[in-house]
Amino acid sequence: MKTIRAVEFKDGKLFFINQTKLPLAEEIISTDDYERIALAIERLEVRGAPAIGVAAAYGLALALKNIPSSEQSKIFFKAFERLASTRPTAVNLFFALNEIKKVFDQNSASNLCEQILERAKTIHEDDIKLCNLIASNGLKIFSKKSRVLTHCNAGALATSGDGTAVNVIRKAFENGLVEFVFADETRPLLQGSRLTAWELDKYGIPFSINTDSTAAFLMQQNKIDLVIVGADRISANGDTANKIGTYNLAVLCKHHNIPFYIAAPSTSVDRLCPSGSHIKIEERDHRELTRIGDKQITRDEYPAYCPAFDVTPNNLITAIITEKQVYKPPYNFSHV
Ligand code: MRU
């Protein structure tokens, strides 16, 4: 199967696929400027919880390049704050920034830049490994060849490896356990119809895209065997923040008696967050609703509510697949 890499680091630069252009254009952007990386995260050129963590880690390493030791502390914290301010919900971003900060706090000025870059590289390598382990563990949820529905994009584009929920689907497909994939288009930014569809097409997995509101009808017609999605932040009790519309799906699954799974690395678990009500939900610019891309579809002056994520309560989640194991309720991630 084809390998997709959303972010890569080579020759002292971060390379990333501009995901706002997919699937109509495959544009690669390269930069050694942390401000450009922060902008890429805000604009969703780089997106998905693990991918933004890896990009931000490299951003901090690049911020210190060629900075005299007397200036390092000032620049480091400026870059740290800038990158931390990009998107509030995915905990992976803060996990990666804090891991880099530990290196900053522990190392002397002489080799600081190299040490930070090394740590960014291990965060990157670990993410690739976690994606593979999640896919292997994910095989355990399949009892037959299944028709799967997914929401948003939790694939290779959302990580620095092969993805989480889509990687489970991909591995299961390779093992003859996936018959067909339904990809919710995922309004307003269409990560499903643009990004998940692009990945599934590249992998040769049979799929179709549907409006988010079609999911109930598909379930009513017995066309869905299971739903699997990613996560931006999993609280200690298992409540899970993911792309807006995920909670709708979990409620629908409960009504139709369909299993609902989360697949995510343990870097998406926030052990210090007791429950979903403590998760900060990003609100996006209301023009993401009044326009589709550059096309105006309604008046910008109309009031609009545009949360990027919602929280699915733990009692609606059949199991949470991480690189460690498939967790079943009752969830307690306070030590994971
Ligand atoms: O706003 P996005 O596109 O960054 O939202 C992404 C999601 O909601 C994904 O499902 C989540 O980050 C998991 S990625 C493996």
Side-chain angles (χ1 to χ4, degrees):
M1 276 205 182
K2 280 215 160 63
T3 301
I4 296 166
R5 288 291 175 252
V7 290
E8 281 185 298
F9 192 82
K10 47 182 192 224
D11 306 328
K13 285 186 176 171
L14 184 74
F15 289 72
F16 57 89
I17 305 176
N18 180 356
Q19 299 193 33
T20 63
K21 297 270 170 75
L22 287 173
L24 303 182
E26 297 184 16
E27 177 185 272
I28 306 287
I29 294 174
S30 68
T31 184
D32 60 0
D33 176 5
Y34 81 84
E35 175 56 30
R36 181 67 187 86
I37 294 174
L39 278 176
I41 295 171
E42 282 171 345
R43 293 173 179 164
L44 272 61
E45 291 167 341
V46 174
R47 49 146 299 280
I52 65 177
V54 170
Y58 281 121
L60 281 184
L62 290 168
L64 289 188
K65 210 169 105 181
N66 302 329
I67 299 293
S69 52
S70 58
E71 296 280 299
Q72 279 178 343
S73 188
K74 191 178 90 191
I75 298 292
F76 180 84
F77 286 104
K78 189 173 166 217
F80 186 100
E81 293 305 329
R82 174 70 184 104
L83 289 158
S85 72
T86 52
R87 299 192 75 189
T89 304
V91 73
N92 312 61
L93 174 67
F94 303 96
F95 164 80
L97 291 174
N98 288 327
E99 285 300 300
I100 298 289
K101 185 169 174 302
K102 282 184 204 163
V103 178
F104 180 83
D105 290 341
Q106 284 159 13
N107 282 274
S108 66
S110 62
N111 66 349
L112 191 57
C113 203
E114 293 76 17
Q115 294 296 319
I116 287 183
L117 184 58
E118 275 319 300
R119 184 66 187 108
K121 285 181 179 166
T122 58
I123 291 170
H124 186 174
E125 284 156 15
D126 287 348
D127 185 47
I128 295 172
K129 286 182 203 148
L130 299 188
C131 287
N132 295 337
L133 294 168
I134 290 166
S136 302
N137 280 338
L139 286 182
K140 296 175 194 151
I141 67 170
F142 291 86
S143 53
K144 60 171 186 177
K145 194 164 187 173
S146 301
R147 296 150 309 161
V148 181
L149 184 140
T150 189
H151 188 72
C152 193
N153 171 264
L157 289 169
T159 67
S160 57
D162 288 330
T164 60
V166 175
N167 201 22
V168 170
I169 292 171
R170 171 183 136 121
K171 181 108 179 169
F173 177 74
E174 284 172 350
N175 284 268
L177 291 166
V178 165
E179 184 181 319
F180 196 82
V181 180
F182 294 92
D184 272 2
E185 67 169 347
T186 318
R187 279 283 290 147
L189 296 181
L190 307 173
Q191 289 93 331
S193 59
R194 296 188 303 106
L195 310 179
T196 299
W198 183 74
E199 288 194 27
L200 294 170
D201 183 44
K202 284 226 182 290
Y203 299 146
I205 301 175
F207 74 97
S208 64
I209 55 180
N210 52 266
T211 62
D212 301 339
S213 48
T214 303
F217 189 48
L218 286 168
M219 292 181 187
Q220 194 180 46
Q221 295 174 91
N222 287 320
K223 288 188 174 163
I224 310 292
D225 296 306
L226 65 94
V227 170
I228 182 165
V229 298
D232 283 83
R233 191 181 296 238
I234 301 172
S235 57
N237 73 347
D239 293 346
T240 296
N242 190 50
K243 180 53 57 194
I244 189 76
T246 301
Y247 174 39
N248 303 37
L249 282 178
V251 173
L252 288 173
C253 282
K254 182 85 171 172
H255 181 76
H256 291 94
N257 202 21
I258 293 169
F260 176 87
Y261 297 100
I262 300 287
S266 52
T267 48
S268 300
V269 174
D270 184 352
R271 290 183 294 121
L272 302 176
C273 176
S275 68
S277 60
H278 295 81
I279 299 176
K280 184 163 170 43
I281 298 295
E282 176 183 8
E283 280 188 38
R284 306 270 312 166
D285 190 314
H286 80 293
R287 284 170 297 191
E288 290 184 356
L289 289 191
T290 57
R291 305 167 185 195
I292 295 184
D294 294 334
K295 185 165 168 45
Q296 191 84 41
I297 50 167
T298 187
R299 292 180 184 276
D300 279 341
E301 60 267 30
Y302 289 166
Y305 175 46
C306 194
F309 303 99
D310 58 25
V311 177
T312 300
N314 56 14
N315 65 317
L316 297 179
I317 302 171
T318 308
I320 298 179
I321 305 155
T322 79
E323 76 280 4
K324 296 185 173 140
Q325 65 180 81
V326 178
Y327 294 92
K328 297 264 176 66
Y331 303 108
N332 181 359
F333 291 113
S334 50
H335 305 292
V336 170

